[in-house]
Amino acid sequence: MTIATAEALPGLQPHSGLSKAWTDRYTSSLMNTFGPPKRVFVRGEGAQLWDADGNRYLDLFAGIAVNALGHAHPLIVQAVTAQLTTLGHVGNFFATAPQIALAERLIDLVGADDARVYFCNSGTEANEAAFKLSRLTGRTKLVSTEGGFHGRTLGALALTGKRAIREPFEPLPGEVVFVPYGDTAALEAAIDDQTAAFIVEPIQGERGVEPAPPGYLTAARAITERHGALLILDEVQTGIGRTGTWFRYQPEAAQNGAWQPDVITLAKGLGGGLPIGATIALGRAAALFSPGAHGTTFGGNPVACAAGLAVLYAIERDNLLDNAVRIGGRLRGGILDMDHSAVTGVRGAGLLLAIELADPVASELADAALNAGFIVNPVNPQSVRLAPPLILTAAQADEFIAALPKLLDVHTTRSK
Ligand code: PLP
């Protein structure tokens, strides 16, 4: 059997050497949802990427916190190749082994035998499923947080507390009440016996990597429980080891009576780059969906699930939870130790961090970093987000720390 390489397929030549030509083709063939691409990438390996002109980059953003094992990880390549050459898709009238094994593994990691998994293809779909699940409680009121991000489909957007991206698409599915993030008293006032669910991120990633204050999630658990409302934790960005534990809520829950949420939503890191999302429901929430209530053609696809199994296996085998804590600490320490006047702090946990800037120069800084060979994300005007692969090495973290002062100098000078 001859397997065509990507370069051999129609439309893919020339594969390299012509960033400008690719950018022109992009602009005249794709909808303008993301603005002009800053680079066209042709190859990746570990935490490194190469663009169409042959330039090398250190990837400190991992495709928006997705490539947990970096690029072209042998375990994912092997798992996906083996699965695709055996069985690529059957649809959800039937089951496959990778789907079942991945669901079992996730239940194991959550630590609740009564949990059940619904697979989909993205974060927004995972939250969409959670939203629909909440309607089956017989209640329709939802509580969400200001500044929170849950996705772009209409249901997930209705739960998203960012006015600018909601307003053009109103009216959105209702009754969603927004409360200030981290404010327990406001939560107490908003949740009542008519509330179906409270949805919250343990760290608000898209807002700028804003962690919930200690105790907030535990209070949310107690309040929702008291009113018979579901607690939905959106761990799309924070889950699968990104902050140094399998799920971000786990350390706080373990310290406060080992509580569990009713629903956890996942995507991003779960597939290590293949599209997969999951809605995990526990206890009574796990029984809310019955046949016909919800569905998807591709969700639970065996190739994506094989990738998920490879990601979870590698995280455990290679101690990547510890690595996230260690390398995250090294990045944080290195950035703070430079004591640069342009930096006012570092937020986040593990390998989900934001460099807090004194001035609103995050975009300029990210562009300068890109030109210097580092991919970082200007998540808001005053914060640069780092969400590198969990395999990032100490030497790679140090490479960025060594380059940062010079990048910051330019923008301190300019902004003063
Ligand atoms: N929830 C959170 C917390 C996210 O950070 C994101 C994406 O950034 C989403 C949901 C939506 O995920 P997706 O882009 O895969 O639909």
Side-chain angles (χ1 to χ4, degrees), residues 64 121-125 127 149-152 201 203 205-206 234-237 267-268 385:
I64 325 185
N121 313 283
S122 64
T124 199
E125 283 175 79
N127 287 327
F149 184 82
H150 301 292
R152 300 280 191 163
E201 297 156 86
I203 295 177
E206 297 307 301
D234 180 342
E235 293 247 15
V236 166
Q237 191 156 153
K268 292 195 182 278
R385 176 170 43 171

Side-chain angles (χ1 to χ4, degrees), residues 6 107 113 208 222 236 254 275 279-280 345 356:
I107 290 169
D113 290 346
V236 166
T279 306
I280 306 173
E356 223 171 74

Side-chain angles (χ1 to χ4, degrees), residues 273-329:
L274 272 88
I276 182 168
T279 306
I280 306 173
L282 289 73
R284 71 178 169 114
L288 287 172
F289 277 155
S290 53
H294 195 48
T296 161
T297 296
F298 291 116
N301 167 279
V303 179
C305 289
L309 283 167
V311 168
L312 300 182
Y313 174 68
I315 290 176
E316 192 156 54
R317 185 195 69 176
D318 300 338
N319 296 317
L320 296 181
L321 299 180
D322 291 346
N323 199 59
V325 172
R326 204 163 45 84
I327 303 299

Side-chain angles (χ1 to χ4, degrees), residues 117-141:
V117 180
Y118 169 82
F119 284 120
C120 53
N121 313 283
S122 64
T124 199
E125 283 175 79
N127 287 327
E128 207 66 41
F131 192 152
K132 284 183 72 176
L133 198 78
S134 78
R135 285 276 159 98
L136 298 179
T137 60
R139 302 179 182 183
T140 48
K141 177 180 161 186

Side-chain angles (χ1 to χ4, degrees), residues 109-198:
L109 296 176
V110 168
D113 290 346
D114 63 357
R116 294 292 180 269
V117 180
Y118 169 82
F119 284 120
C120 53
N121 313 283
S122 64
T124 199
E125 283 175 79
N127 287 327
E128 207 66 41
F131 192 152
K132 284 183 72 176
L133 198 78
S134 78
R135 285 276 159 98
L136 298 179
T137 60
R139 302 179 182 183
T140 48
K141 177 180 161 186
L142 285 135
V143 179
S144 186
T145 57
E146 290 168 6
F149 184 82
H150 301 292
R152 300 280 191 163
T153 52
L154 289 177
L157 191 60
L159 302 170
T160 289
K162 290 183 159 204
R163 205 178 288 257
I165 64 170
R166 292 163 48 85
E167 272 175 359
F169 300 99
E170 286 173 347
L172 293 165
E175 298 159 59
V176 187
V177 173
F178 291 96
V179 291
Y181 186 62
D183 183 337
T184 303
L187 198 59
E188 188 85 61
I191 293 178
D192 55 29
D193 290 348
Q194 270 71 56
T195 306
F198 171 53

Side-chain angles (χ1 to χ4, degrees), residues 19-318:
S19 267
K20 166 82 175 70
W22 281 113
T23 306
D24 291 347
R25 283 173 66 181
Y26 177 101
T27 313
S28 52
S29 59
L30 282 106
M31 279 197 205
N32 189 20
T33 40
F34 303 104
K38 290 192 186 283
R39 292 292 186 277
V40 178
F41 289 114
V42 295
R43 189 166 74 84
E45 188 184 317
Q48 303 179 94
L49 281 169
W50 284 266
D51 71 17
D53 295 328
N55 301 304
R56 177 251 183 207
Y57 300 81
L58 184 63
D59 184 1
L60 299 168
F61 194 36
I64 325 185
V66 165
N67 301 295
L69 307 186
H71 303 277
H73 193 283
L75 272 177
I76 296 185
V77 174
Q78 280 163 24
V80 163
T81 309
Q83 187 56 45
L84 192 55
T85 50
T86 310
L87 185 65
H89 178 81
V90 293
N92 284 313
F93 291 128
F94 306 99
T96 64
Q99 170 195 48
I100 297 164
L102 184 59
E104 288 172 347
R105 189 77 187 98
L106 288 172
I107 290 169
D108 197 37
L109 296 176
V110 168
D113 290 346
D114 63 357
R116 294 292 180 269
V117 180
Y118 169 82
F119 284 120
C120 53
N121 313 283
S122 64
T124 199
E125 283 175 79
N127 287 327
E128 207 66 41
F131 192 152
K132 284 183 72 176
L133 198 78
S134 78
R135 285 276 159 98
L136 298 179
T137 60
R139 302 179 182 183
T140 48
K141 177 180 161 186
L142 285 135
V143 179
S144 186
T145 57
E146 290 168 6
F149 184 82
H150 301 292
R152 300 280 191 163
T153 52
L154 289 177
L157 191 60
L159 302 170
T160 289
K162 290 183 159 204
R163 205 178 288 257
I165 64 170
R166 292 163 48 85
E167 272 175 359
F169 300 99
E170 286 173 347
L172 293 165
E175 298 159 59
V176 187
V177 173
F178 291 96
V179 291
Y181 186 62
D183 183 337
T184 303
L187 198 59
E188 188 85 61
I191 293 178
D192 55 29
D193 290 348
Q194 270 71 56
T195 306
F198 171 53
I199 181 165
V200 64
E201 297 156 86
I203 295 177
Q204 288 189 324
E206 297 307 301
R207 186 186 205 166
V209 190
E210 295 283 353
Y216 181 61
L217 298 178
T218 302
R221 174 66 291 180
I223 296 166
T224 46
E225 196 156 273
R226 203 175 322 126
H227 292 284
L230 302 177
L231 175 63
I232 304 171
L233 295 184
D234 180 342
E235 293 247 15
V236 166
Q237 191 156 153
T238 51
I240 313 297
R242 176 135 301 279
T243 69
T245 49
W246 284 108
F247 306 107
R248 173 65 184 164
Y249 77 91
Q250 285 177 323
E252 178 173 321
Q255 281 171 17
N256 293 284
W259 57 261
Q260 288 281 15
D262 299 295
V263 179
I264 303 162
T265 56
L266 298 172
K268 292 195 182 278
L270 179 57
L274 272 88
I276 182 168
T279 306
I280 306 173
L282 289 73
R284 71 178 169 114
L288 287 172
F289 277 155
S290 53
H294 195 48
T296 161
T297 296
F298 291 116
N301 167 279
V303 179
C305 289
L309 283 167
V311 168
L312 300 182
Y313 174 68
I315 290 176
E316 192 156 54
R317 185 195 69 176
D318 300 338

